[in-house]
Amino acid sequence: MKFLCSQSELNSNLSLVSRAVPSRPTHPVLGNVLLVADESKGRVSLTAFDLSLGIQTSFSAEVSQGGTVALPAKLLNDIVSRLPEGEITLIADADESEDDSQIITLKSASGQFQLRAMSAEEFPSLPTIEGVDALKLRISLLIEGLKGSLFAASSDETKQVLTGVHLAGTVDSLEFAATDGHRLAVVTTPLQPEATEEEEGKTLAEGDFEGFSVTIPARALRELERMLSSRQGSDTVALYVDEAQIVFELGEQRLTSRKLDGAYPAYNQLIPRQFSRTVNVERKRFMSSLERVAVLADQKNNLVKCTLDGDEGLVSLSVEAQDLGKAKESMPAEITGEGGDVAFNVKYLMDGLKALPSQEIQIQLNEGNQPVILTPLGGLKMTYLVMPVQIVR
Amino acid sequence: MKFLCSQSELNSNLSLVSRAVPSRPTHPVLGNVLLVADESKGRVSLTAFDLSLGIQTSFSAEVSQGGTVALPAKLLNDIVSRLPEGEITLIADADESEDDSQIITLKSASGQFQLRAMSAEEFPSLPTIEGVDALKLRISLLIEGLKGSLFAASSDETKQVLTGVHLAGTVDSLEFAATDGHRLAVVTTPLQPEATEEEEGKTLAEGDFEGFSVTIPARALRELERMLSSRQGSDTVALYVDEAQIVFELGEQRLTSRKLDGAYPAYNQLIPRQFSRTVNVERKRFMSSLERVAVLADQKNNLVKCTLDGDEGLVSLSVEAQDLGKAKESMPAEITGEGGDVAFNVKYLMDGLKALPSQEIQIQLNEGNQPVILTPLGGLKMTYLVMPVQIVR
């Protein structure tokens, strides 16, 4: 194998696939990145795979001799990222040595590195999905859905399906839902463009999403989000799904992930449809007040009290920490229904406020300890459900 | 006590003094910041003190009632830094409650915070030095001295004097030295301006530095460096020293520190005066090559081999890591004396290269395991001494 490429291309592609390299590989070969140089195409592809998440990418190079090697991902990344900009040549010895290991030479203008490669044969193949039609989605739609849901997935690995985001399709919409058992975030994105956009021939989705239902690990979706962020929102990503796997294709880049097994909770049943009280409030103002009073809450039970005063048109956030002191901030709000107090866990309330995409939000609630709903006023269709905390009197 | 001030002033001054608040106070009151409002001066001063390092600062405020309180530093800082820009009012209750604690109210446009204050009487006074003439130094001179020495001090608290920087004065120079036992950095700054500068009436230092000799904890000097960085280099800092303490005064800001007891090692005896070989090389080129080959060194014994080839005018850096591979980079250099190999610990070599202030540097060495000296070519007078590591053959 021998090829010549630019440092910046090799570097950016290595950084990308390295995200799928496990920090503590269960098998030594998984700590490697697979390099495949294709002489006829004039391209080099890079693959990393932790047996759940796989990332593959390719870039153009002057390939004078094709071949395949597996190189230690972290080491290669550390070296290439420090090399000066310019051309890099990578050469694999023609002969394999006795112990099946190959020596790879990396030459740059400033010097040369020799690395011991592992046998590429041991490197597991990325799952492929064949005989299935691609579903296509606009990148901007996928970004919106992930942004509004991913943060609410559980980070507790024992919680299985709750560590993922559930995607559910209908004829004309795709829903993204995530919950860790304490709060729930749901984003519903339309698959049909609005009338005005349609005239410009803008397509949001292609393929049949009706009955589409899959739970994807949050870790894989975070990497997908990162890959999408450097792309044009108007571009399209192709999805392929089978019983066990999902594959996302973005031009020369592929991300594969296993699906999470098991039924996803019937979250729609949890969302109340009627409310006795609503509060419309400016999101950023509410958030910065919450951030400040939370300084005192952090010290104690992480609880904030939200007081509704319909007559004055004020919503107040207050915290009492017995040994330290107390805090209270108020801001104008449009309030319907009865006033009163409701308490929240600061973190869950804050997470929702951060993710809601609008300037103004609506808080909808009932009496007692029924779920509270936060929605944006205008724009994206998003629902954030959080349970109030009982105030001890 | 009652005063009104701007959020930005209170915030920046709080951040400054908070650096002297211990993260785990040995006595509860040391986790506080002392606020003193002076009605006649129209100023509020802030003090923090961990019994070794003390920082005091003051700013102007509309003080309608003078007074003194001690408030939890971290909590106050967390709140004030999150408040919106604008006016802040701080009010202490007139009456102290039964348990000697006072309630302080902090009002901003967005709401109010009530914090429990500790009795200010318990707060220890900052050391003061009286009856001693101030020594004065240009800020730029002090910054230069600290930048070239501080990094080499030991971070091992059991190493006593080696955890500090030693300052030693003569009639016309001030020397900054630091060593952790493995390497030594010495900067010599002139106290007399050069002829051309003198005409402009520029003064570098005032007072008698002859016989000046003090070892100051690196922690205090790092905070001093931070304070100096926001100042004009042409301004002056005043130093007061007695048997146990040193005080730095910069306008309204004061930093006090205990001195480190014990004789500082006679480091000048360690520096060889004659060398059989010299290498002149471009510092940044040498540094970036070292950074790259060090990627392989990190995995093993952290050793890099430096090979001098006088005939070719090349210096090479190479590393071998048995299981992983090897690296070699070469660059042009002016070499006098015999060629050959010398090995270094990557970290110690790198630290010196980072701190040397010139484009080109000179490496001076002798045969065998004698100390190696790195100096800048031109500019500041700095000496960095590092011990070579014996290469096992």
Side-chain angles (χ1 to χ4, degrees):
Chain A
M1 183 166 99
K2 182 174 179 183
F3 68 83
L4 183 150
C5 67
S6 82
Q7 181 269 344
S8 61
E9 282 236 78
L10 180 57
N11 185 37
S12 60
N13 282 284
L14 262 179
S15 310
L16 179 73
V17 299
S18 292
R19 311 281 316 177
V21 177
S23 49
R24 287 190 209 84
T26 50
H27 188 281
V29 80
L30 300 181
N32 287 260
V33 58
L34 186 78
L35 285 87
V36 181
D38 186 324
E39 198 175 339
S40 61
K41 289 187 188 160
R43 292 192 80 84
V44 173
S45 86
L46 304 179
T47 309
F49 187 30
D50 69 6
L51 300 182
S52 169
L53 168 67
I55 302 181
Q56 191 169 70
T57 176
S58 78
F59 56 94
S60 70
E62 282 179 38
V63 182
S64 45
Q65 198 189 342
T68 307
V69 292
L71 282 169
K74 187 174 178 320
L75 195 65
L76 186 63
N77 205 4
D78 283 351
I79 292 167
V80 172
S81 66
R82 284 166 176 82
L83 285 174
E85 272 193 48
E87 288 180 347
I88 292 179
T89 309
L90 199 142
I91 309 160
D93 285 358
D95 298 323
E96 293 199 359
S97 62
E98 285 166 26
D99 61 346
D100 253 19
S101 77
Q102 246 182 322
I103 299 296
I104 271 68
T105 305
L106 193 75
K107 282 186 188 168
S108 76
S110 64
Q112 73 173 46
F113 288 78
Q114 294 195 308
L115 301 178
R116 195 172 289 268
M118 276 191 86
S119 165
E121 283 161 32
E122 282 183 55
F123 202 89
S125 313
L126 278 202
T128 50
I129 296 178
E130 280 167 17
V132 175
D133 286 340
L135 295 168
K136 288 185 180 170
L137 277 179
R138 249 177 184 264
I139 286 181
S140 57
L141 182 156
L142 198 48
I143 288 179
E144 246 178 25
L146 294 176
K147 210 171 173 181
S149 60
L150 251 177
F151 71 96
S154 176
S155 53
D156 176 351
E157 279 307 317
T158 66
K159 293 249 181 133
Q160 307 194 4
V161 284
L162 299 192
T163 61
V165 173
H166 186 69
L167 274 67
T170 67
V171 181
D172 57 6
S173 75
L174 183 61
E175 205 163 86
F176 297 73
T179 176
D180 61 2
H182 300 286
R183 38 61 187 282
L184 164 71
V186 184
V187 177
T188 310
T189 56
L191 295 179
Q192 303 303 326
E194 289 176 25
T196 53
E197 292 172 317
E198 202 168 14
E199 288 160 24
E200 298 164 34
K202 200 171 145 188
T203 320
L204 292 180
E206 279 176 39
D208 182 9
F209 278 89
E210 197 172 3
F212 179 79
S213 171
V214 53
T215 310
I216 308 167
R219 171 156 180 252
L221 292 175
R222 278 193 202 99
E223 294 314 323
L224 180 66
E225 203 179 26
R226 195 184 302 266
M227 278 164 70
L228 295 173
S229 67
S230 61
R231 297 287 180 138
Q232 290 280 341
S234 54
D235 284 353
T236 298
V237 50
L239 279 74
Y240 300 86
V241 189
D242 67 9
E243 295 73 42
Q245 301 285 338
I246 184 160
V247 175
F248 294 89
E249 260 184 26
L250 292 105
E252 293 298 332
Q253 299 175 351
R254 280 177 75 202
L255 182 146
T256 73
S257 172
R258 73 185 168 93
K259 289 159 59 177
L260 288 170
D261 290 333
Y264 200 77
Y267 56 86
N268 273 312
Q269 298 174 5
L270 304 174
I271 305 173
R273 300 296 158 192
Q274 292 202 322
F275 301 94
S276 62
R277 301 187 280 175
T278 67
V279 182
N280 290 7
V281 67
E282 208 193 305
R283 184 176 67 97
K284 287 213 170 140
R285 176 76 194 272
F286 194 73
M287 231 167 80
S288 55
S289 281
L290 181 60
E291 230 165 45
R292 286 188 288 269
V293 300
V295 171
L296 279 165
D298 276 341
Q299 316 281 331
K300 265 299 264 199
N301 49 14
N302 215 20
L303 223 71
V304 61
K305 194 170 77 179
C306 186
T307 306
L308 312 180
D309 183 343
D311 299 338
E312 295 282 338
L314 280 180
V315 58
S316 303
L317 295 172
S318 57
V319 164
E320 288 194 35
Q322 213 180 350
D323 301 332
L324 295 166
K326 53 188 180 181
K328 183 172 181 175
E329 296 218 358
S330 304
M331 70 216 80
E334 274 176 53
I335 300 173
T336 68
E338 261 183 65
D341 294 343
V342 56
F344 297 99
N345 174 299
V346 168
K347 179 184 154 32
Y348 296 139
L349 190 56
M350 185 62 95
D351 282 354
L353 290 169
K354 278 185 187 161
L356 285 162
S358 63
Q359 264 200 307
E360 250 198 306
I361 57 158
Q362 182 163 62
I363 307 172
Q364 297 170 294
L365 56 169
N366 289 306
E367 298 304 317
N369 289 313
Q370 291 193 56
V372 174
I373 298 295
L374 277 68
T375 51
L377 279 173
L380 188 69
K381 196 171 167 226
M382 173 170 170
T383 304
Y384 185 69
L385 178 153
V386 61
M387 295 304 294
V389 182
Q390 195 143 18
I391 307 175
V392 184
R393 285 166 204 277
Chain B
M1 180 167 99
K2 183 174 179 182
F3 67 85
L4 185 149
C5 66
S6 82
Q7 181 269 343
S8 61
E9 282 235 77
L10 180 55
N11 185 36
S12 59
N13 282 283
L14 262 178
S15 309
L16 180 73
V17 300
S18 291
R19 313 279 317 178
V21 176
S23 49
R24 288 189 207 83
T26 50
H27 188 281
V29 79
L30 301 181
N32 288 259
V33 57
L34 186 77
L35 285 87
V36 180
D38 186 324
E39 199 175 337
S40 62
K41 289 188 189 160
R43 292 192 79 83
V44 172
S45 86
L46 304 178
T47 309
F49 187 30
D50 68 5
L51 299 182
S52 168
L53 168 68
I55 303 181
Q56 191 169 67
T57 175
S58 79
F59 56 94
S60 70
E62 283 179 37
V63 182
S64 46
Q65 198 190 342
T68 306
V69 292
L71 281 170
K74 188 176 178 317
L75 196 64
L76 186 64
N77 205 5
D78 283 351
I79 293 167
V80 172
S81 65
R82 284 168 177 81
L83 285 174
E85 271 191 49
E87 286 180 347
I88 292 179
T89 310
L90 199 140
I91 309 160
D93 284 358
D95 298 324
E96 292 199 1
S97 63
E98 286 166 23
D99 60 345
D100 252 21
S101 76
Q102 246 182 321
I103 299 296
I104 271 67
T105 305
L106 192 75
K107 282 187 188 166
S108 75
S110 63
Q112 72 174 46
F113 288 77
Q114 293 194 309
L115 301 177
R116 195 173 289 270
M118 277 191 86
S119 164
E121 283 160 31
E122 282 183 55
F123 201 91
S125 314
L126 279 200
T128 50
I129 296 178
E130 280 167 18
V132 174
D133 286 338
L135 295 168
K136 289 186 180 170
L137 276 180
R138 247 178 185 265
I139 287 182
S140 57
L141 183 155
L142 198 48
I143 288 179
E144 247 178 25
L146 294 176
K147 210 171 174 182
S149 59
L150 252 176
F151 72 95
S154 176
S155 52
D156 177 352
E157 280 306 318
T158 65
K159 293 249 183 131
Q160 308 195 2
V161 284
L162 300 192
T163 62
V165 173
H166 186 69
L167 275 67
T170 66
V171 181
D172 57 5
S173 75
L174 184 60
E175 203 162 89
F176 297 74
T179 177
D180 61 2
H182 300 287
R183 40 60 188 281
L184 165 71
V186 184
V187 177
T188 311
T189 56
L191 295 180
Q192 303 303 325
E194 289 176 24
T196 53
E197 292 172 318
E198 203 168 12
E199 288 161 26
E200 299 164 33
K202 199 172 147 186
T203 319
L204 293 179
E206 278 175 41
D208 182 9
F209 278 88
E210 197 172 2
F212 180 80
S213 171
V214 53
T215 309
I216 308 166
R219 170 155 181 253
L221 292 176
R222 279 193 200 98
E223 295 313 325
L224 180 67
E225 202 179 27
R226 198 184 300 266
M227 279 163 71
L228 295 173
S229 67
S230 61
R231 298 286 180 138
Q232 290 280 342
S234 54
D235 282 356
T236 298
V237 50
L239 279 72
Y240 300 85
V241 189
D242 69 6
E243 294 73 40
Q245 301 286 338
I246 185 160
V247 176
F248 294 89
E249 260 183 27
L250 292 106
E252 293 298 331
Q253 299 175 352
R254 279 177 74 204
L255 182 143
T256 73
S257 172
R258 74 183 167 94
K259 289 160 58 176
L260 288 170
D261 291 334
Y264 200 77
Y267 55 86
N268 273 313
Q269 299 173 5
L270 303 174
I271 305 172
R273 300 295 158 193
Q274 292 202 320
F275 301 94
S276 60
R277 302 187 280 175
T278 66
V279 183
N280 290 8
V281 66
E282 207 193 306
R283 184 176 67 97
K284 287 214 169 140
R285 175 75 192 273
F286 194 73
M287 231 167 81
S288 55
S289 280
L290 181 61
E291 232 166 43
R292 286 189 288 270
V293 300
V295 171
L296 279 165
D298 275 341
Q299 315 281 333
K300 263 307 258 200
N301 48 13
N302 216 19
L303 222 73
V304 60
K305 195 170 76 179
C306 187
T307 306
L308 312 181
D309 182 343
D311 299 338
E312 296 281 337
L314 281 179
V315 57
S316 305
L317 294 172
S318 57
V319 164
E320 288 195 34
Q322 212 180 350
D323 300 333
L324 296 164
K326 52 188 181 179
K328 183 171 181 177
E329 295 217 358
S330 304
M331 69 214 79
E334 273 176 52
I335 300 173
T336 66
E338 260 184 65
D341 295 343
V342 55
F344 297 101
N345 175 299
V346 169
K347 180 183 154 29
Y348 296 139
L349 189 56
M350 185 62 91
D351 281 354
L353 290 170
K354 279 184 187 161
L356 285 162
S358 62
Q359 266 200 305
E360 251 197 308
I361 58 158
Q362 182 163 64
I363 307 172
Q364 298 168 296
L365 55 170
N366 289 308
E367 298 303 317
N369 289 312
Q370 290 193 57
V372 174
I373 299 296
L374 277 68
T375 51
L377 279 173
L380 189 68
K381 196 170 166 227
M382 173 172 171
T383 303
Y384 185 68
L385 178 152
V386 61
M387 295 304 294
V389 181
Q390 194 143 17
I391 307 174
V392 185
R393 286 166 203 276

